[in-house]
Amino acid sequence: MSNQVITARNNVNVIGTGEKTLLLAHGFGCDQSMWRFVTPALSQQYRLILFDYVGSGKSDLAAFRSEKYSSLEGYAEDILDICQALELSNVNFVGHSVSGMIGLIAAINSPQYFDKQVMVCPSPCFLNLPPHYFGGFEREDLEELINLMDKNYIGWANYLAPLVMGTSSAPELVGELSGSFCSTDPIIARAFAKATFFSDYRHILSDAVHPALILQSRSDALASPSVGEFVHDTMPGSTLAVIEAEGHCLHMTTPDVVADQIIRYV
């Protein structure tokens, strides 16, 4: 696959200047535009690589293959394709939500491309698996959520958006996230949702070979502080910063804090 095909497939954009490179990876149901609240501050110091996962934003929808994107490994392959196409090295990978795990998979498989990781509200597993791990959701609840996608896609989006963004967040941000959900092809969104919410990547945390900063929301309906603490306790070389905020999208609701944390860490 040519470099041009890869950059078009994932709608890759490069902005900013600086010796260090940040690769910004959006979460489920989002696209690269969600980073716009932090890019003004970050682009003054770093070269930023922005992209959309296949099926999101302005990516090439024709490139979607259900067998590839039924697991997070498929999305990690795209990360490595982008690194190879742009001849990147010493990348600081910034991943929101599920992209924290996608980036970790990529970094473990091809460590030569990476330097540090920043995980914004990560979760290695959204399922409750008692007695030792509570990801936040019972399996039946998540299955019901997937079924709602099939029956009433707009209703699903309108239900999930305030849960993800945080009920105290600005209505326009909740509306933007709901609109982003709705703009994603339902078949593709369902595949990404299943890969995100039913996966369990706790076992790879201890295999991390790069230092990581974990940014955890004080109140997060999708990934509670105990999940952030679990990631920190299990990942060698990790640092945990708990942000006094609500919601799962800190880079949108508290962008100044997130940008400052990234600048100080990277």
Side-chain angles (χ1 to χ4, degrees):
M1 190 182 300
S2 72
N3 295 347
Q4 189 174 6
V5 168
I6 291 168
T7 55
R9 179 192 68 186
N10 290 102
N11 186 32
V12 176
N13 291 287
V14 182
I15 63 172
T17 57
E19 292 183 8
K20 295 182 177 180
T21 298
L22 304 187
L23 178 55
L24 306 179
H26 64 81
F28 164 75
C30 301
D31 59 39
Q32 63 183 269
S33 70
M34 306 301 194
W35 292 109
R36 70 186 185 279
F37 300 98
V38 295
T39 52
L42 296 178
S43 62
Q44 294 178 27
Q45 301 194 40
Y46 309 109
R47 181 171 69 135
L48 307 181
I49 312 295
L50 298 156
F51 73 97
D52 297 325
Y53 287 117
V54 169
S56 303
K58 297 179 181 177
S59 64
D60 180 7
L61 300 183
F64 179 80
R65 302 199 314 278
S66 58
E67 63 273 16
K68 176 180 179 180
Y69 297 107
S70 63
S71 73
L72 300 189
E73 280 78 5
Y75 298 92
E77 282 181 35
D78 287 2
I79 296 290
L80 296 177
D81 284 346
I82 293 169
C83 290
Q84 185 175 19
L86 299 183
E87 300 181 347
L88 302 178
S89 62
N90 298 316
V91 168
N92 295 279
F93 184 90
V94 183
H96 171 231
S97 188
V98 67
S99 278
M101 292 306 108
I102 294 172
L104 183 58
I105 294 167
I108 291 171
N109 288 341
S110 298
Q112 68 273 19
Y113 291 120
F114 301 93
D115 184 21
K116 294 179 179 178
Q117 289 198 302
V118 178
M119 299 177 166
V120 183
C121 301
S123 175
C125 180
F126 287 94
L127 292 164
N128 291 331
L129 299 170
H132 302 300
Y133 182 81
F134 295 89
F137 297 90
E138 298 297 330
R139 179 172 290 274
E140 307 83 69
D141 296 333
L142 292 177
E143 288 173 348
E144 190 174 323
L145 196 63
I146 297 297
N147 288 335
L148 182 60
M149 292 180 75
D150 294 334
K151 296 175 183 176
N152 183 356
Y153 191 68
I154 293 176
W156 162 83
N158 290 335
Y159 165 77
L160 190 61
L163 193 69
V164 173
M165 192 63 69
T167 53
S168 65
S169 297
E172 56 268 26
L173 290 180
V174 176
E176 178 179 348
L177 186 60
S178 178
S180 181
F181 288 160
C182 290
S183 67
T184 306
D185 180 279
I187 295 174
I188 295 175
R190 191 180 195 278
F192 200 0
K194 292 190 72 174
T196 297
F197 293 115
F198 290 96
S199 60
D200 183 358
Y201 286 93
R202 291 176 296 163
H203 62 285
I204 72 170
L205 294 173
S206 59
D207 295 332
V209 292
H210 304 92
L213 171 64
I214 302 155
L215 298 180
Q216 171 67 50
S217 212
R218 177 67 70 187
S219 175
D220 184 348
L222 261 69
S224 69
S226 66
V227 172
E229 290 166 8
F230 178 88
V231 175
H232 171 51
D233 291 342
T234 313
M235 278 187 72
S238 67
T239 301
L240 175 63
V242 179
I243 310 301
E244 295 296 331
E246 180 198 5
H248 195 62
C249 300
L250 290 173
H251 55 309
M252 299 177 73
T253 55
T254 58
D256 293 345
V257 176
V258 170
D260 182 62
Q261 287 279 352
I262 292 173
I263 290 168
R264 285 195 287 162
Y265 184 72
V266 172

